[in-house]
Amino acid sequence: MNEVVIIAENLISNKIYYIRNKKVMIDADLAELYAVETKQLKRQVRRNIERFSEDFMFELTEVESEILRSQIGTSSWGGSRYLPMAFTEQGVAMLSSVLSSPTAIKVNIQIIRVFAKIREVLADTMNMKLEIEEIKKKVTNQNKNIELVFSYLDELIDKQDNKIERTKIGFKK
């Protein structure tokens, strides 16, 4: 039985948070997407903890957990006694090696694709910002050049206004 698992991209991207200057997904959200219990996901991670270095996965502090809870708008995290785990894109990829169900593998591929699209969008945005800065610099330089031209014109006008009448020399009638 080859079951196709399709999850909407916006559903996945809405579960990506920015914590400690990293784009991460929380264990409970991943467990929901993988159709496993959160405690099962955590158990598999703890059994294979050597695969998850700190740049792949970290446990949230109580303060971070509270902030996240208030962002999501829930009153509790489902009664979990443990702090949530946050997985970076590499950590999510590593999860596919510890959660080997067909559903987990297919969902994992979709999640990695969403992370890649987010990275692409951020790169495009950064390129656009750099191009805008270049245009601003050019406009600023042009403004300075225009001001310089006007100051030269003002000087020429001042010179003509302050022109001393000289007596004409040459043949007189």
Side-chain angles (χ1 to χ4, degrees):
M1 180 168 126
N2 197 356
E3 183 181 319
V4 177
V5 178
I6 298 175
I7 298 174
E9 282 184 20
N10 65 342
L11 180 68
I12 295 171
S13 61
N14 287 339
K15 294 180 183 287
I16 296 175
Y17 302 98
Y18 200 67
I19 301 172
R20 296 186 195 174
N21 295 322
K22 295 178 184 178
K23 292 182 297 297
V24 298
M25 292 186 77
I26 304 302
D27 56 8
D29 293 337
L30 286 165
E32 179 186 331
L33 293 171
Y34 294 144
V36 298
E37 290 182 8
T38 305
K39 67 180 180 181
Q40 180 187 353
L41 183 138
K42 285 185 169 197
R43 187 180 314 124
Q44 288 297 88
V45 169
R46 291 195 199 289
R47 284 182 184 160
N48 297 281
I49 197 68
E50 67 279 355
R51 294 176 184 250
F52 296 94
S53 60
E54 197 165 304
D55 57 329
F56 285 18
M57 183 272 303
F58 54 89
E59 207 167 62
L60 270 58
T61 64
E62 286 186 31
V63 172
E64 290 169 332
S65 181
E66 284 298 318
I67 291 170
L68 182 64
R69 213 176 292 161
S70 66
Q71 281 180 350
I72 296 172
T74 58
S75 59
S76 70
W77 197 269
S80 176
R81 287 180 265 163
Y82 303 101
L83 292 170
M85 293 176 169
F87 294 86
T88 64
E89 180 179 356
Q90 295 82 5
V92 170
M94 191 58 72
L95 274 174
S96 67
S97 67
V98 297
L99 296 174
S100 56
S101 75
T103 303
I105 292 169
K106 290 173 185 167
V107 169
N108 211 318
I109 291 168
Q110 288 182 281
I111 292 171
I112 297 301
R113 285 183 178 146
V114 170
F115 268 109
K117 281 187 180 180
I118 290 172
R119 197 172 39 255
E120 231 176 79
V121 167
L122 289 175
D124 289 347
T125 303
M126 186 56 73
N127 288 340
M128 200 180 315
K129 284 182 179 178
L130 292 173
E131 288 175 13
I132 289 171
E133 285 303 315
E134 278 185 44
I135 291 170
K136 282 181 180 177
K137 286 179 186 175
K138 286 179 183 177
V139 168
T140 302
N141 286 339
Q142 288 175 353
N143 283 347
K144 289 178 184 174
N145 290 339
I146 290 171
E147 286 176 19
L148 189 62
V149 166
F150 278 115
S151 69
Y152 286 146
L153 286 173
D154 287 342
E155 284 179 30
L156 284 173
I157 290 172
D158 287 346
K159 283 182 182 177
Q160 281 197 342
D161 287 347
N162 295 334
K163 200 170 170 184
I164 302 171
E165 284 292 322
R166 293 188 288 170
T167 55
K168 294 182 180 179
I169 57 172
F171 182 72
K172 295 183 186 178
K173 285 188 184 180

